[in-house]
Amino acid sequence: MIKSILVVNNHGKPRLVKFYDRMPMSQQQEWLKHAFNLVSKRADHLCSFVEDEEFFGKDSRLIYRHFATLYFIVICDSSESELGILDLIQVMVETLDKNFESVCELDLIFHCPKVHTIIDEIVMGGMVLETNCHEVLRATAEIAKLEKASETVNYSKSKSGPQTSKFK
Amino acid sequence: MQAAMRKPSSKEYLDLVKAIGECKSKTEEDGLMLREIEILKERFADTKRIDPKKMKEYLLRLVYIEMLGHDASFGYIHAVKMCNESNLVLKKVGYMTTTLFLDEGHELLILIVNTLQQDLKSDNHLIVCSALNAICKLTNADTIPQLLQSVVDQLSHPKELVRKKAILALHFFNQRAPSVVAPHLPRFRQMLCDKDPSVMGAALCALHDILALDPQPHRNLVPSFVNILKQVVEHRLPKTYDYHKCPAPFIQLKILKILALLGSSDKACSENMYAVLTDMLRRGENNQIGNAILYEGVKTISSIYPNPRLLEQAAEITARFMKSSNHNLKYCGIGALASIVRINAKYAVGHQMAVIDCLEDPDDSLRSKTMQLLYKMTKPGNIEVIVERMIQYLKAATDPLTKADTVSKVIELAERYAPTNQWFISTVNEVIEFAGELVTDSIAQNLMRLVAEGAGDEDEHADNELRVSAVTSYLALLSKPKLPEVLLRIVSWVLGEYGLLSPTSSAAELVKALVDVSKRPGVGVALKGTVLSAITKIVAHSRIALPGEALELVKQAANSRSISLQQHAHELQGLTQSSAETLAVALPPDSSSEKIEVDEGLSFLDGFVQEALANGAKPFVPLEDRPLVGAKKIGRVNSGITAEHLPSAAASSTSGSSMQRSSSFGKRWGPGSNSIPEQTAPSARSGLSEQPAGRSEKEQFAASLFGDVNGSSPSSVPPAAPAPVPVPALVPEPVAEPPAPSPVDLLMDLSDPVPTPAAPAEHNPLDVFSQLEGLSMDASVPLPAAPASQPAGNDPFDLNSLYTSTAPAPPQVGITSMAGAPPTDMMGMGMAPMQGQPMPQMGMQPQMGMQPQMGMQPQMGMQPQMGMQPQMGMQPQMGMQPQMGMQPQMGMQMGMGAMPGVGGNVGMAPMQGMGMPGMGLQNPGMPPQMMGMPPQSAAAPPAPKVEEKPDPFKDLLG
């Protein structure tokens, strides 16, 4: 089971926080901090797995990928395949990418609800729900269609924003 | 952008989000969030005027607040309300925010159940989906029954999107409230056959978790899983399920996990899988996801019933992973290797060096994974290499958890596979030096035992060399400024016991080195005690005058608040003033490695038993016929002793013997491990070889306790004799009835010899064991006579006769003779010290004074068990043995406990039970703490009958 999905930027600021295990707010923040500490000190060429059973609980492991400015972190137990989770992260990023057309950190900040919707289509209650990128996009498109009805306010990505680098 | 632009967002909202994105520091971000919280609280003050669209924005702002670590609970209720909106967009935001804010334990959840129920029945499948998503976070055991049926209904929803969410929601229910969901469990299997692969994939996830709990009932699904896997592998799913050219990899991964669960230790199931697994491995793509499948395949192959061809393939894949430069693959390679090594170690052979290289990799995940593997790969042939690497790893490690883990692994491996004793000693020393704080007492104990006993074969010369090398290396070690206390304790003990073997250092130098040890910063009482007893031994053996520094130390110790230190000091003072003969008996050189033989039958008591029976004593009641409580307790005490006491033994016991004997550790290394079965050693039976009756019972007990130790011992005593029951005996009877008739006397006699030593033991560094040994060896002969011969009268009690004369009268023969007769130290140990003048000072005083404080409480605890003894009465000794056996170090104490009779002499303390009410208490106390000899009380059992005892004590006291 997946216990948590975290997206954190290079400075440790959370961009997406999802917990599937029940835990109080304060503990969630600790996990966030600890996970970032673990991954941020690892060089990019090292392996993508960190085991810290002491902190995350027995049988748990942290699997992450680092894109330009973001760390995608998944904390799960041994019922998930390590390499499989790496690809699950890849699926998430690909889906986000297709949805936002070259997704970047700012997309995650500005479109928080949308990102949650997408992630919810991929992982539900800690179980992998769908790994087919097209299926996910189809589902989110349906939802988007409904939202389209609402009036639109145009705003574009901040061009002067500090973190516009693409991470895919 | 496109997606984004549609959102009707106010400038305020956009500014906030932008500001969050641009925050440079945590402080700045915190300030922003606190401001935001104030604003929102203000807005929420009048919710009626808030437009729902506005509210949606507010809720999203709350999401940011909470994500960034601030408390947004003031707005939770609005999120819950939002779920009730009829507009889908708003409802979705409501559900999303609610799931983010609340969890299954929150009190607001109750408000949402109704909404969920309605939404599950909605015609709009998107609303149903939102509700199903929310269910996985917002229901608990209380609300599940109300939602269950609706969720189950959705399993047949026409939209696959709904079906797959419904199945995971049902799985969630099953995890929280299995009993409620149980009737619907077959649905999971049905959903496997869903025409949509996505739904099947979701069902696989759920089934995997269900299977993991109990695979048995699902083994009949193997053909289905195999069939699905086959179809997937053969690209029979729609192309859209391909991911990086790999057909539906996540489904493959899940099925492999499931097959691993189902096939483990089930040959028939496994055989079904071989074909598809072979095919899958053959088609494996060489990309990331392809490797993921191969890796999972290897794990599956190694957990199902082994198939040589598949294993070969798995080994090839593993080799490829190991050779990869990609760290992720290396990591998986190590994992894969660990799983196939379990099946057959030969697969590791080719990778040994590659594995060891991984230990030096900069990647600490890889290193720790490798450590786990190495541990599994270690064999006698590679132990030296592997342990060397592990120690290097240990030196480099900074993380305390990693260190602790490594230490325990190194020690375990060293104990199991050490090629030589020298190697073992140096390895353990090294470990202790680098991670002393993580080394347990039992490890130290084991090391000391090894030094004392040597290889266990009869090559005394080799043993001596080992000791000399240990002494030399320890003397060198002392020059290091910082050493862990455990190591210092070992050093002190070894120097005390064998320091004089050193070719380079004189006794005076040794004493000085030891005194220096005691002056190191942070030295505790236990270590000081060890140092003092080491000095005692050196001084006693070398007959040098105590150097000034040492005198200082002794003086300090004598005035110490710690009673055990006082005792050590008094012993030292007493012994240094005593005669050479006394010393030889009290502190025989190398007493620690003497072997103790145990007379499990306590045959020497036979006569006594008979007499007691003749005098109307109750016959022994076998353990199983006794009231349960007590019996159980006793049993536990016995068996528990060894393990528990050992660790601390080193610290507390002065005598060398104590440590060695504890073979609870079972010698696991080295070829010539000592022949004494685990835990056997200490048994007190030493001399009493002749016990006929109850043998089988005893043997059983002994076997369970020590491993089949007994040889054959003839037993002269009638079976009826209570003696046979050793266990009960252990428990002393504190309560002891005051004056018992003749039978007591007998006991006393017998026991006297033994007990005596005991008392002294505490104070003196006597070797209990050696005493025991003596008993066994010498005693065996005279014993039979002794018990019988001894009159019920007080004669035996005459302390003087006992002590003064090396070889006392017949009655005591057993004991005395031992002391005197055996030229060796053995016998003497216990008794000797006590007899002469030395005794009074050494043993008596300290004990009298000290004991009360030390012992009382502990004993009390024990005593409950004692209760039993009354019946046992006769078999005091029996009890003793077990104890003795267990607690090597305790040895001394044991002695005490054991020798109830002896009590008269030296041992008074222990014996109190019998004669001296007041004393009795104290004694008991002592043993527990010091010796860890709860059983001592056992000694007491005789008490009831022991009326005479009082006299002896008095004598002594007087």
Side-chain angles (χ1 to χ4, degrees):
Chain A
M1 169 182 178
I2 294 172
K3 299 180 178 180
S4 174
I5 297 176
L6 308 169
V7 180
V8 188
N9 78 358
N10 285 351
H11 306 286
K13 287 198 224 163
R15 291 304 176 226
L16 173 82
V17 177
K18 281 238 169 229
F19 281 90
Y20 298 101
D21 241 9
R22 183 181 170 187
M23 64 177 76
M25 256 306 273
S26 56
Q27 197 186 347
Q28 293 185 5
Q29 290 298 319
E30 275 173 38
W31 275 43
L32 192 63
K33 235 182 260 167
H34 188 73
F36 175 72
N37 284 341
L38 285 178
V39 298
S40 61
K41 64 183 183 201
R42 293 174 64 81
D44 273 353
H45 67 279
L46 301 183
C47 73
S48 308
F49 315 110
V50 182
E51 286 178 29
D52 189 349
E53 299 196 336
E54 184 70 13
F55 187 86
F56 295 118
K58 190 119 187 64
D59 196 32
S60 61
R61 65 202 58 187
L62 180 154
I63 296 156
Y64 73 101
R65 292 193 75 165
H66 190 200
F67 299 91
T69 60
L70 295 177
Y71 288 98
F72 279 72
I73 301 169
V74 173
I75 299 161
C76 63
D77 63 20
S78 64
S79 67
E80 308 291 336
S81 157
E82 296 101 323
L83 288 173
I85 293 289
L86 274 188
D87 278 285
L88 185 72
I89 295 176
Q90 184 70 31
V91 167
M92 287 181 208
V93 175
E94 273 179 30
T95 312
L96 289 173
D97 196 56
K98 285 194 175 131
N99 192 73
F100 292 109
E101 291 188 6
S102 297
V103 69
C104 72
E105 184 178 343
L106 277 187
D107 288 319
L108 300 193
I109 301 171
F110 277 95
H111 308 305
C112 169
K114 179 96 183 171
V115 174
H116 276 285
T117 307
I118 292 175
I119 301 295
D120 281 347
E121 290 302 321
I122 298 176
V123 177
M124 178 175 161
M127 307 300 292
V128 180
L129 174 72
E130 180 59 73
T131 48
N132 185 333
C133 183
H134 308 286
E135 289 288 325
V136 177
L137 286 175
R138 199 154 57 89
T140 49
E142 272 190 86
I143 299 164
K145 221 190 285 175
L146 274 162
E147 295 184 353
K148 223 172 198 168
S150 318
E151 77 272 48
T152 315
V153 172
N154 274 348
Y155 62 92
S156 50
K157 289 174 198 168
S158 151
K159 281 170 195 148
S160 56
Q163 298 130 335
T164 46
S165 49
K166 300 294 172 190
F167 63 83
K168 157 85 183 28
Chain B
M1 15 211 123
Q2 359 339 61
M5 325 213 152
R6 276 177 246 125
K7 199 155 291 161
S9 307
S10 68
K11 176 140 190 345
E12 199 184 27
Y13 172 74
L14 292 176
D15 285 346
L16 170 71
V17 175
K18 205 167 148 192
I20 293 172
E22 286 169 356
C23 274
K24 291 273 185 302
S25 68
K26 179 75 180 146
T27 343
E28 194 184 337
E29 189 184 277
D30 284 349
L32 185 69
M33 285 300 113
L34 291 176
R35 239 180 359 255
E36 187 64 19
I37 289 172
E38 286 316 308
I39 295 173
L40 287 178
K41 276 187 178 164
E42 211 173 283
R43 304 272 166 90
F44 285 149
D46 188 8
T47 48
K48 292 221 174 83
R49 294 218 318 260
I50 301 179
D51 173 72
K53 292 224 171 100
K54 203 81 188 149
M55 182 55 94
K56 178 189 131 192
E57 243 178 62
Y58 292 156
L59 289 180
L60 292 179
R61 283 154 81 167
L62 283 178
V63 171
Y64 288 106
I65 291 173
E66 187 131 319
M67 180 170 77
L68 295 173
H70 297 268
D71 179 28
S73 56
F74 62 89
Y76 288 176
I77 183 69
H78 302 295
V80 172
K81 279 193 204 156
M82 181 74 96
C83 299
N84 272 321
E85 292 288 340
S86 53
N87 179 315
L88 172 79
V89 176
L90 296 181
K91 185 184 279 293
K92 256 192 75 70
V93 170
Y95 276 135
M96 185 196 88
T97 49
T98 312
T99 52
L100 287 174
F101 294 153
L102 309 186
D103 66 22
E104 55 195 279
H106 202 283
E107 52 188 2
L108 287 179
L109 284 190
I110 197 74
L111 298 177
I112 221 168
V113 176
N114 207 22
T115 315
L116 284 172
Q117 255 172 335
Q118 282 171 4
D119 287 347
L120 282 175
K121 291 178 181 133
S122 165
D123 293 338
N124 186 334
H125 73 278
L126 290 179
I127 290 183
V128 178
C129 284
S130 301
L132 286 171
N133 259 345
I135 275 177
C136 288
K137 193 80 188 289
L138 301 180
T139 47
N140 51 36
D142 297 337
T143 53
I144 283 174
Q146 304 164 53
L147 295 167
L148 180 62
Q149 193 51 49
S150 311
V151 169
V152 171
D153 290 345
Q154 301 307 326
L155 288 176
S156 30
H157 196 279
K159 290 264 183 193
E160 76 278 353
L161 190 61
V162 177
R163 292 202 301 274
K164 71 182 176 190
K165 290 198 176 185
I167 195 143
L168 286 189
L170 187 60
H171 175 49
F172 176 85
F173 286 176
N174 190 37
Q175 286 175 323
R176 307 296 140 140
S179 55
V180 182
V181 181
H184 301 287
L185 278 184
R187 296 307 295 268
F188 289 110
R189 287 162 159 249
Q190 287 168 23
M191 297 309 280
L192 261 191
C193 310
D194 196 282
K195 60 182 188 291
D196 189 280
S198 293
V199 180
M200 192 231 344
L204 284 176
C205 290
L207 272 173
H208 173 268
D209 284 9
I210 295 169
L211 282 170
L213 295 177
D214 179 18
Q216 199 52 47
H218 303 279
R219 293 213 199 266
N220 59 357
L221 276 180
V222 169
S224 312
F225 290 126
V226 167
N227 197 21
I228 296 171
L229 183 57
K230 192 158 185 279
Q231 293 183 36
V232 173
V233 170
E234 290 171 358
H235 282 271
R236 287 206 246 150
L237 288 189
K239 266 274 178 244
T240 50
Y241 284 90
D242 281 9
Y243 170 88
H244 293 223
K245 290 193 205 150
C246 198
F250 294 95
I251 291 180
Q252 290 193 47
L253 288 176
K254 226 28 179 201
I255 295 184
L256 285 173
K257 287 255 182 212
I258 291 174
L259 291 184
L261 288 171
L262 291 177
S264 80
S265 65
D266 186 327
K267 192 173 178 193
C269 282
S270 303
E271 278 168 351
N272 272 330
M273 307 169 188
Y274 294 154
V276 72
L277 288 176
T278 313
D279 194 31
M280 188 206 72
L281 293 185
R282 190 174 54 79
R283 292 173 184 249
E285 296 277 339
N286 192 11
N287 57 15
Q288 182 168 293
I289 191 69
N291 286 328
I293 292 174
L294 291 180
Y295 173 50
E296 212 51 57
V298 171
K299 293 219 280 193
T300 304
I301 288 168
S302 57
S303 63
I304 63 176
Y305 190 88
N307 171 297
R309 275 196 38 231
L310 279 177
L311 278 172
E312 284 304 328
Q313 274 183 293
E316 272 170 40
I317 293 167
T318 307
R320 211 181 78 214
F321 284 4
M322 290 297 298
K323 286 178 196 140
S324 165
S325 58
N326 178 326
H327 272 79
N328 284 341
L329 284 190
K330 256 192 198 166
Y331 180 91
C332 291
I334 299 272
L337 196 54
S339 37
I340 59 172
V341 161
R342 269 202 318 249
I343 310 285
N344 190 333
K346 75 174 180 184
Y347 298 116
V349 177
H351 306 299
Q352 203 152 313
M353 283 326 285
V355 168
I356 291 210
D357 285 343
C358 286
L359 256 196
E360 282 153 18
D361 198 277
D363 187 340
D364 50 6
S365 291
L366 194 52
R367 283 201 307 267
S368 72
K369 190 92 176 171
T370 311
M371 281 292 300
Q372 295 168 16
L373 171 66
L374 273 188
Y375 174 70
K376 288 184 191 158
M377 279 170 60
T378 309
K379 294 279 168 309
N382 56 18
I383 169 83
E384 287 175 79
V385 189
I386 287 181
V387 166
E388 186 194 331
R389 295 295 176 135
M390 283 177 138
I391 290 180
Q392 279 174 16
Y393 178 71
L394 178 66
K395 285 180 197 168
T398 47
D399 170 35
L401 282 167
T402 320
K403 281 178 97 172
D405 189 45
T406 312
V407 165
S408 66
K409 281 180 175 153
V410 169
I411 298 289
E412 193 190 324
L413 291 176
E415 288 184 352
R416 204 184 302 163
Y417 299 119
T420 66
N421 288 326
Q422 239 114 2
W423 180 89
F424 179 82
I425 291 176
S426 69
T427 301
V428 176
N429 282 348
E430 210 170 341
V431 171
I432 298 178
E433 196 180 333
F434 290 108
E437 69 282 3
L438 301 169
V439 172
T440 60
D441 280 349
S442 66
I443 294 172
Q445 210 63 58
N446 239 355
L447 183 63
M448 290 187 274
R449 182 158 61 88
L450 180 64
V451 174
E453 290 180 351
D457 44 29
E458 296 307 311
D459 188 352
E460 197 47 39
H461 180 67
D463 288 356
N464 250 355
E465 254 177 30
L466 179 73
R467 289 169 193 152
V468 171
S469 78
V471 167
T472 317
S473 67
Y474 283 142
L475 280 172
L477 204 58
L478 281 180
S479 60
K480 301 205 180 180
K482 238 184 119 179
L483 293 175
E485 172 148 354
V486 190
L487 189 53
L488 287 175
R489 225 164 61 206
I490 299 175
V491 169
S492 306
W493 184 83
V494 170
L495 289 186
E497 204 73 12
Y498 301 110
L500 292 173
L501 295 174
S502 164
T504 50
S505 302
S506 68
E509 281 165 341
L510 288 171
V511 171
K512 172 148 190 332
L514 285 168
V515 171
D516 288 346
V517 168
S518 74
K519 286 182 180 160
R520 282 173 179 257
V523 164
V525 168
L527 178 54
K528 273 192 181 155
T530 314
V531 166
L532 276 176
S533 70
I535 294 178
T536 311
K537 283 181 262 187
I538 292 176
V539 169
H541 294 154
S542 63
R543 306 303 295 163
I544 61 164
L546 214 49
E549 272 179 320
L551 275 177
E552 188 85 355
L553 178 66
V554 173
K555 216 162 141 195
Q556 270 175 20
N559 294 325
S560 159
R561 283 179 132 185
S562 152
I563 289 162
S564 72
L565 265 191
Q566 286 180 35
Q567 186 172 321
H568 281 301
H570 285 300
E571 283 171 14
L572 196 157
Q573 286 169 343
L575 274 174
T576 45
Q577 288 160 21
S578 55
S579 70
E581 301 83 59
T582 313
L583 279 176
V585 186
L587 289 173
D590 194 20
S591 54
S592 54
S593 56
E594 299 297 346
K595 295 225 161 77
I596 297 170
E597 278 171 34
V598 175
D599 172 11
E600 305 203 344
L602 298 177
S603 50
F604 65 94
L605 282 182
D606 292 347
F608 167 70
V609 168
Q610 291 305 324
E611 195 162 331
L613 285 174
N615 285 332
K618 277 192 206 162
F620 170 72
V621 182
L623 196 53
E624 48 286 8
D625 298 345
R626 243 167 271 165
L628 268 184
V629 191
K632 270 191 185 160
K633 268 189 190 157
I634 294 178
R636 201 181 314 131
V637 171
N638 296 341
S639 50
I641 294 175
T642 356
E644 288 170 16
H645 293 287
L646 285 177
S648 61
S652 60
S653 90
T654 334
S655 88
S657 57
S658 43
M659 2 212 31
Q660 291 39 26
R661 281 313 130 141
S662 66
S663 10
S664 66
F665 298 99
K667 216 176 177 180
R668 283 185 276 187
W669 63 81
S673 62
N674 70 2
S675 51
I676 305 184
E678 303 202 358
Q679 308 180 344
T680 333
S683 55
R685 308 59 165 314
S686 40
L688 347 162
S689 49
E690 323 207 357
Q691 276 221 342
R695 227 197 142 66
S696 63
E697 245 180 337
K698 266 180 249 164
E699 274 171 0
Q700 266 180 0
F701 172 65
S704 64
L705 204 58
F706 308 128
D708 194 26
V709 183
N710 308 336
S712 54
S713 55
S715 59
S716 49
V717 185
V725 190
V727 185
L730 290 174
V731 191
E733 284 209 39
V735 189
E737 298 156 21
S742 53
V744 176
D745 297 353
L746 286 176
L747 280 174
M748 304 297 296
D749 297 343
L750 291 170
S751 50
D752 286 352
V754 187
T756 327
E762 293 185 351
H763 309 280
N764 305 331
L766 299 176
D767 253 339
V768 178
F769 291 104
S770 48
Q771 299 179 352
L772 292 172
E773 295 188 354
L775 285 171
S776 48
M777 325 206 13
D778 311 332
S780 53
V781 185
L783 279 179
S789 61
Q790 296 221 352
N794 302 331
D795 298 359
F797 295 98
D798 182 337
L799 295 171
N800 292 332
S801 68
L802 279 172
Y803 298 117
T804 23
S805 71
T806 348
Q812 299 131 357
V813 178
I815 303 169
T816 12
S817 66
M818 328 239 325
T824 13
D825 8 311
M826 355 249 326
M827 344 290 324
M829 18 214 351
M831 330 279 309
M834 333 313 296
Q835 320 171 352
Q837 309 92 356
M839 306 255 336
Q841 307 150 343
M842 330 199 25
M844 317 287 299
Q845 305 170 348
Q847 286 197 340
M848 320 289 294
M850 343 245 346
Q851 314 220 348
Q853 308 148 347
M854 337 212 6
M856 317 284 306
Q857 306 169 346
Q859 282 206 335
M860 320 286 297
M862 330 273 327
Q863 315 233 354
Q865 310 153 347
M866 329 267 311
M868 332 261 330
Q869 307 154 5
Q871 308 161 343
M872 340 262 309
M874 329 279 323
Q875 315 160 0
Q877 304 140 347
M878 327 266 310
M880 330 215 8
Q881 313 161 351
Q883 302 176 338
M884 327 265 312
M886 334 280 323
Q887 328 190 346
Q889 309 150 338
M890 334 289 294
M892 327 271 324
Q893 312 144 354
M894 318 264 322
M896 334 232 344
M899 339 309 282
V902 181
N905 330 341
V906 184
M908 331 75 116
M911 329 324 289
Q912 324 108 350
M914 351 263 316
M916 346 263 300
M919 324 251 327
L921 292 164
Q922 308 163 356
N923 287 329
M926 323 214 23
Q929 298 181 338
M930 329 223 9
M931 351 288 274
M933 326 230 357
Q936 314 156 315
S937 26
K945 309 163 182 184
V946 183
E947 299 173 355
E948 299 110 4
K949 297 212 169 172
D951 301 338
F953 287 108
K954 287 174 186 171
D955 289 342
L956 289 169
L957 293 170

